[in-house]
Amino acid sequence: MAYQFNPDLVIVSAGYDAALGCPEGMMRVTPQCYPHLLWPLMGLANGKVAVILEGGYCLKSLAEGAALTLRSLLGDPCPLIQPIMNPSSFIVDTIMNATTALKDYWSFGAIRTATGAEYDESVLTGEGHKLSYRFDWTEPKPLKYPTRSAFVLNEKEVFLALDKELDQLNLTTSLSVAKHRVGLLYDDVMLMHRNTTVVHPESPERISNIFACHASFGLVERCHRIASRKATHEELRLVHAEEHILKMRNSERLGRKDLGNLEDRYNSIFLNNHSYESALYAAGSLLNVVESVLTGECQSGVAIVRPPGHHAEEDEACGFCLFNNVALAAKYGIENHDLKRILIVDWDVHHGNGIQHMFDSDPRVLYISLHRYDYGSFFPSKKDANFDYVGNGAGEGFTVNIPWNKKGMGDTEYLTAFTNVIMPIAYEYAPELVLVSAGFDAAQGDPLGGCKISPEGYGHMTHLLTSMANGKVILALEGGYNLTAISYSMSLCTKALLGDPLPKLCLRDVADESALESIRDVLRTHSAYWTLLKPFQKILPSEFPIQQGKYSIIPTKENEIVELMEKLKVGPELVDVNANPELTIPDPPISAGEPSLSIPTIPPTVNIQRNQRRQVQIEDDMSIGGGELAIGAVNIEETTEEEVIAAGGEEPLEGAVGGSNTQQEFSIQVFVEDDNNMFAVYPLNWCPHLSSVNSVPTTGIDITTPCNDCHSTQENWICLICYVVKCSRYIREHMLMHCVETGHSMALSFSDLSIWCFPCESYVDNQALQEAKAAAYMNKFGDSYTPSNNAN
C-alpha cells in the first residue's frame, strides 16, 4: 500500500507499548524488531521520515527500542533478529480481514479471490479465508476514564522473567558497525577479456562505464577501495571440476583456430588468451569483497567484475560465464567463515542455472531467482528454472524460482515479487550474508532482456535487502548490455548501500497479470516450506460482504453519498449538472507517467501508444538524459516528423526503446485475445526502419544456409541489410547479437517467412519487404509469392 500511495512524507506514530515487557499492550515485539519495521519505510518519500514518540511503559524496552530506531534513522544496519515464523492465527485473520476490506481500493499483490458459491466451497474445504467479525466489549462505555493509579502492572514473577529476557536480548544483540560503509572493487585487468572476432554485447566497456559513472557521481571517493586478486586453483576447486579449470587455463596458450574450436564446445562462450586471467581476477576479487565484509572492514560491498559467472556449471563454461563467481563466494563463506545461512538473490534477466545446480541440495544456501522463462523458451531454456523446481534432498525448499513468462516486466512486477515472496522468505531464513547476482539485463532499454526495471527500481530492491544479515550485502555484476542502463542502475544500488535517499518510484496500480500468475504459482508451491507464506494463501471473497452490528457499522458508498447530500441539503433526484453550469465533475485521476487507456475495437487493430518520458533522479541536481536510456551498440535510425507523415504513417511518438533523445519509441500492442482465447499477431504495415532494407543479392536467398557462426540449420534468420544468415534466439541467439552489434534492424525467418524489426520489437509487412519474401518463398516452395492484403 505504501509503495502504491507513493507518499511525499512518512510520519510514524512510534508507540512502543507493543514491545516486550510493556504491561499496557501485553505484546512481544522485541526492541530489535523496530528497526526492521522502520527500514522499508525509509525507502519511501525520498527518505523523508519523521518518527514521533507515542506510548511505551516498560522503560527498558522503550529505551532500547527507541535507541535502535534512532540508529536506523542514522543509517546503521538493522540488528540481527531470530527467524520470523509461524505467525499467530489471530494476526493472520486480522491481516486477511483487512485485505478483504481494502482490496478494492489498494493492490495487494498476488491474492486469490472467488465469488459466491465458489468462495463458500473454498471455506468449507479450508482453502478459503472465513471472514470473522468480533467485538468483545461486555460493559457500557464509561463516561470518564481514570488517569491516575489506573495503569496495569505485571506481577512480580512475570516482571522478573520479562526483565531477564530483555537483558538477554540486549546482551546478545550485536551493534557493531564496520569501519567503512561500502567496499568497492574494480580493476582494469578484467578489460582484457574481449571477443577478438566480432563485436560482442559482453564487452569490456560494461565495467569501465559503470566505474566511470560511479566516479562522476562521487561514489568512488565515498567507498573503500578493495584490492583485486586472482582466485587460487584450490579456491576454484570449491565449486568447479579439475578438468574444467585446466581447459580454461590451457586457453592462454591456444591459437585463434583452437580457441574457436574450444568456444564451439560451449553454449555462447568467447575466449582469447587473456580470458582465463580475467576470469581468475573476477572470481578472486569477489572473494576479497566477501572477506572484507565478513571480517568487519566493510559493512557491504560492490564488485564491478567480468566475465560474469552465474551460468557457469561445475564442469563447463556457459552463457558468457567461465567461472561461477557468486557460487564460489558463497562456498568460500561456508568453508572459511563457517556460515550456516547465505541468501543469494539473482535478479539477472536470465536464470542462474550454474548457481542453482551447485547448491540445489544444500540448505546452507537459499537461492532465489527472478528471471524471464517464457515457458521454457528463454535462455538458458532449462525446465528446472520454473516455479515447481524447489531443490533436492536436504535442499528441498531452498531453491525459489520466480519465472516471468513474457517480456516487459518492470518496477511494479519486481517490487510485487519482493514484497510478496522474497522478503517474507528471507525473514524466515534469517541469512548471515546476502549475495546478489546483480545482472542489469532486465533494465529498461537492454537489447537482450526486454524488461523495464528503472535504475530507481534496482536501488529500492537493494534497500529492501539491506535490512537482512546486519547489512552484510554484496552485489556482484552479472549481465546487462545497455551501457547507459547498467551504469546508472549499479550506481543507484551503490547509493542505496551508502544510505542515500532513494528517488520515488512510478509504479502502476496493478502488476501485469502474467507476473501475478507466476507469483501465485510460487506462493502455492513454497507455502509447503515457509510458514510465513502458507497462512496467506487462502482464497478471499471477491466482494466484501458488509457486516453491520450494534458496535460496528461499516458505511457503504451509497450511505456516504446520501450523508454528504444531506449535509449539502441536496436530494439525489435534484442533482442536475446541466442546470448548474458552475457545478463541474472532475476528471478521474490518472497517475503521472501513465498512458490513458483505450478500448480495443473489433476487428482488432494495432494500437501504438505514447510512451511517457520520466526523469530518473540520481542526485537532487542530476538526471539521466531526460530519463531515456540508450542501447550502447544499437543505432536506431532517426526519422523526422515530415518523413513519417509523408510515408503515410502517424505522427512520430516521443521516447525511445533504449534510444537517445532524437530517436523514436514505438510501444506496440500486437497480441489480441479473441473469443476462443487464442492470440493473433498483427504486423505493422509500416515502420521507420524500412529504408534500411537492401535489395536481394543476385544469388537469391537459400533457406538451407546454416548459421554463419554456429553452423546450425535448425531455425535461422537472414538479415535484410547485409543478408548474412544467423540462428534464432531459441538456438544460440546469433541473429539477435548480430543486430545488437551492427545496428541492422530487420531479419526474415526461414521458418515462416515473417519479418521482424528489432528496434520496433514487432513483425512488419510492407511492400518494401516483398522482394525478400518472394525470393525466400520461391526457394522454399518453388512457387511465386502472393503479397498479403496488409502490405502496401
Side-chain angles (χ1 to χ4, degrees):
M1 286 174 63
Y3 270 112
Q4 188 175 347
F5 184 61
N6 204 11
D8 298 314
L9 174 66
V10 176
I11 299 176
V12 181
S13 287
Y16 293 88
D17 39 6
L20 179 67
C22 182
E24 176 86 359
M26 300 179 67
M27 307 290 273
R28 291 189 56 82
V29 180
T30 65
Q32 291 73 17
C33 182
Y34 284 102
H36 291 268
L37 300 179
L38 177 63
W39 197 261
L41 299 177
M42 292 170 59
L44 303 169
N46 294 112
K48 296 180 176 68
V49 180
V51 179
I52 301 171
L53 180 63
E54 299 280 3
Y57 309 102
C58 171
L59 295 184
K60 185 171 289 187
S61 62
L62 168 64
E64 188 73 10
L68 291 174
T69 300
L70 181 58
R71 283 171 55 90
S72 291
L73 289 173
L74 291 170
D76 286 355
C78 295
L80 289 171
I81 57 176
Q82 292 297 312
I84 306 297
M85 56 180 61
N86 297 314
S88 160
S89 59
F90 292 101
I91 193 63
V92 169
D93 282 345
T94 297
I95 293 172
M96 297 298 276
N97 287 340
T99 301
T100 303
L102 295 170
K103 63 181 175 57
D104 291 337
Y105 308 95
W106 302 94
S107 171
F108 284 93
I111 61 172
R112 294 190 294 161
T113 61
T115 59
E118 184 183 356
Y119 167 69
D120 294 338
E121 178 69 22
S122 72
V123 172
L124 292 176
T125 61
E127 293 183 88
H129 169 68
K130 184 177 181 180
L131 292 173
S132 57
Y133 303 87
R134 290 185 57 178
F135 190 83
D136 293 338
W137 187 272
T138 57
E139 58 180 298
K141 186 185 297 184
L143 297 177
K144 295 182 179 180
Y145 289 88
T147 58
R148 299 189 181 190
S149 303
F151 51 88
V152 180
L153 290 175
N154 286 318
E155 296 181 2
K156 184 176 180 180
E157 291 183 0
V158 175
F159 171 81
L160 292 175
L162 291 172
D163 193 62
K164 182 178 180 181
E165 188 175 355
L166 283 169
D167 285 340
Q168 182 65 22
L169 278 171
N170 296 343
L171 286 172
T172 56
T173 299
S174 172
L175 299 179
S176 62
V177 179
K179 181 179 179 181
H180 305 285
R181 180 144 188 169
V182 179
L184 180 67
L185 186 288
Y186 171 80
D187 195 321
D188 284 341
V189 70
M190 289 173 280
L191 300 174
M192 296 190 301
H193 174 60
R194 177 188 292 273
N195 192 318
T196 58
T197 58
V198 296
V199 178
H200 196 279
E202 206 291 277
S203 66
E205 290 74 24
R206 295 173 62 241
I207 60 171
S208 60
N209 280 30
I210 291 174
F211 185 74
C213 190
H214 276 66
S216 68
F217 291 151
L219 302 179
V220 174
E221 60 192 33
R222 295 173 60 194
C223 296
H224 173 67
R225 292 295 300 277
I226 297 174
S228 62
R229 72 168 176 90
K230 295 181 183 180
T232 67
H233 187 87
E234 291 73 21
E235 288 168 341
L236 292 176
R237 283 297 307 274
L238 290 174
V239 295
H240 287 293
E242 177 78 12
E243 183 181 0
H244 172 59
I245 299 170
L246 294 179
K247 284 181 181 178
M248 294 298 100
R249 187 172 70 183
N250 290 340
S251 69
E252 291 184 300
R253 301 188 296 271
L254 297 179
R256 180 62 257 167
K257 182 178 179 180
D258 290 333
L259 280 172
N261 292 334
L262 182 59
E263 292 169 347
D264 290 341
R265 298 180 187 177
Y266 303 114
N267 189 348
S268 300
I269 288 294
F270 66 85
L271 297 165
N272 66 23
N273 296 133
H274 303 288
S275 297
Y276 173 69
E277 183 178 8
S278 294
L280 289 182
Y281 270 100
S285 297
L286 180 56
L287 298 186
N288 263 10
V289 179
V290 172
E291 188 70 21
S292 177
V293 169
L294 294 181
T295 57
E297 180 184 40
C298 294
Q299 198 70 46
S300 58
V302 176
I304 308 173
V305 296
R306 66 175 292 273
H310 71 150
H311 291 309
E313 300 279 4
E314 176 188 1
D315 56 355
E316 68 175 6
C318 177
F320 309 165
C321 305
L322 306 187
F323 298 129
N324 204 312
N325 307 322
V326 169
L328 178 58
K331 200 61 179 289
Y332 179 88
I334 292 170
E335 298 296 332
N336 290 51
H337 293 272
D338 197 30
L339 297 185
K340 300 296 190 295
R341 296 182 308 279
I342 297 176
L343 167 63
I344 298 177
V345 175
D346 187 341
W347 67 44
D348 188 282
V349 79
H350 302 93
H351 178 244
N353 52 288
I355 299 176
Q356 176 174 298
H357 295 157
M358 289 175 180
F359 296 109
D360 71 346
S361 61
D362 191 343
R364 295 173 297 180
V365 173
L366 168 60
Y367 177 66
I368 304 179
S369 175
L370 308 97
H371 53 269
R372 273 187 69 179
Y373 183 62
D374 292 15
Y375 302 105
S377 65
F378 199 75
F379 185 88
S381 305
K382 305 286 186 181
K383 289 184 178 180
D384 60 6
N386 207 2
F387 69 88
D388 55 353
Y389 186 82
V390 297
N392 284 314
E396 187 174 338
F398 293 92
T399 294
V400 182
N401 285 314
I402 306 173
W404 307 135
N405 286 312
K406 59 182 287 190
K407 66 181 180 180
M409 305 306 177
D411 295 350
T412 304
E413 289 72 32
Y414 276 79
L415 263 295
T416 301
F418 259 76
T419 54
N420 284 267
V421 180
I422 296 176
M423 296 312 296
I425 291 178
Y427 267 106
E428 185 163 350
Y429 187 64
E432 300 166 283
L433 174 67
V434 178
L435 298 172
V436 181
S437 277
F440 296 99
D441 39 7
Q444 174 88 33
D446 189 273
L448 301 186
C451 289
K452 298 180 179 180
I453 305 180
S454 68
E456 312 100 305
Y458 283 112
H460 280 267
M461 292 191 290
T462 302
H463 174 76
L464 290 173
L465 290 175
T466 52
S467 65
M468 310 306 302
N470 195 224
K472 294 181 174 65
V473 177
I474 298 172
L475 275 66
L477 180 64
E478 296 283 2
Y481 310 101
N482 177 319
L483 299 183
T484 306
I486 62 175
S487 300
Y488 288 119
S489 296
M490 200 162 199
S491 296
L492 256 294
C493 294
T494 303
K495 286 171 66 66
L497 294 177
L498 286 166
D500 290 357
L502 294 173
K504 295 169 69 173
L505 294 174
C506 296
L507 302 178
R508 299 193 307 278
D509 285 343
V510 182
D512 182 272
E513 181 56 36
S514 174
L516 292 178
E517 181 181 356
S518 293
I519 293 171
R520 292 186 194 106
D521 289 337
V522 175
L523 292 172
R524 281 196 296 269
T525 299
H526 281 275
S527 62
Y529 305 100
W530 302 99
T531 66
L532 288 186
L533 301 183
K534 186 174 183 179
F536 299 104
Q537 298 314 299
K538 291 194 173 183
I539 298 171
L540 301 180
S542 57
E543 297 182 357
F544 180 47
I546 303 303
Q547 179 79 8
Q548 298 185 348
K550 180 178 179 182
Y551 301 104
S552 175
I553 298 178
I554 305 172
T556 64
K557 292 181 179 179
E558 182 181 353
N559 286 342
E560 294 170 352
I561 294 171
V562 172
E563 203 171 290
L564 177 62
M565 288 180 173
E566 286 176 353
K567 289 180 181 180
L568 297 174
K569 300 186 183 303
V570 176
E573 71 283 356
L574 299 179
V575 178
D576 185 352
V577 176
N578 296 324
N580 186 354
E582 295 182 1
L583 180 62
T584 59
I585 300 175
D587 292 328
I590 298 177
S591 301
E594 291 290 340
S596 59
L597 300 178
S598 60
I599 301 175
T601 59
I602 297 176
T605 58
V606 177
N607 178 24
I608 303 180
Q609 297 179 328
R610 191 176 299 273
N611 196 325
Q612 304 292 332
R613 295 182 181 180
R614 175 161 51 86
Q615 289 263 329
V616 183
Q617 296 297 327
I618 298 294
E619 302 280 3
D620 290 341
D621 58 345
M622 296 180 182
S623 64
I624 303 175
E628 300 173 1
L629 305 177
I631 298 177
V634 178
N635 179 21
I636 302 176
E637 181 181 347
E638 182 179 344
T639 308
T640 66
E641 179 178 342
E642 291 76 16
E643 290 172 337
V644 174
I645 297 173
E650 297 181 4
E651 178 182 347
L653 307 180
E654 294 181 353
V657 178
S660 67
N661 291 359
T662 60
Q663 296 165 342
Q664 309 302 323
E665 173 162 351
F666 294 85
S667 178
I668 303 164
Q669 294 180 337
V670 294
F671 297 98
V672 181
E673 190 171 7
D674 65 19
D675 295 335
N676 297 318
N677 296 320
M678 298 295 289
F679 289 86
V681 178
Y682 292 86
L684 299 177
N685 57 25
W686 179 89
C687 90
H689 308 96
L690 290 171
S691 60
S692 66
V693 174
N694 289 318
S695 299
V696 176
T698 55
T699 55
I701 295 177
D702 182 359
I703 65 164
T704 64
T705 305
C707 171
N708 191 59
D709 292 333
C710 65
H711 310 297
S712 170
T713 58
Q714 294 182 53
E715 185 176 338
N716 290 331
W717 293 66
I718 187 167
C719 175
L720 297 186
I721 287 79
C722 66
Y723 286 89
V724 67
V725 175
K726 306 276 187 177
C727 64
S728 79
R729 71 183 181 92
Y730 300 113
I731 308 302
R732 291 198 173 183
E733 300 185 326
H734 286 136
M735 179 56 75
L736 175 60
M737 286 190 282
H738 169 74
C739 292
V740 170
E741 293 159 4
T742 63
H744 293 177
S745 53
M746 309 192 81
L748 179 147
S749 167
F750 285 167
S751 298
D752 59 8
L753 307 187
S754 61
I755 294 175
W756 179 260
C757 177
F758 287 90
C760 290
E761 294 188 326
S762 178
Y763 292 101
V764 183
D765 190 12
N766 183 280
Q767 183 63 39
L769 307 173
Q770 299 311 305
E771 182 192 11
K773 272 198 171 186
Y777 192 92
M778 176 61 72
N779 184 263
K780 188 178 181 81
F781 299 108
D783 198 358
S784 59
Y785 172 70
T786 302
S788 67
N789 293 330
N790 190 56
N792 55 41

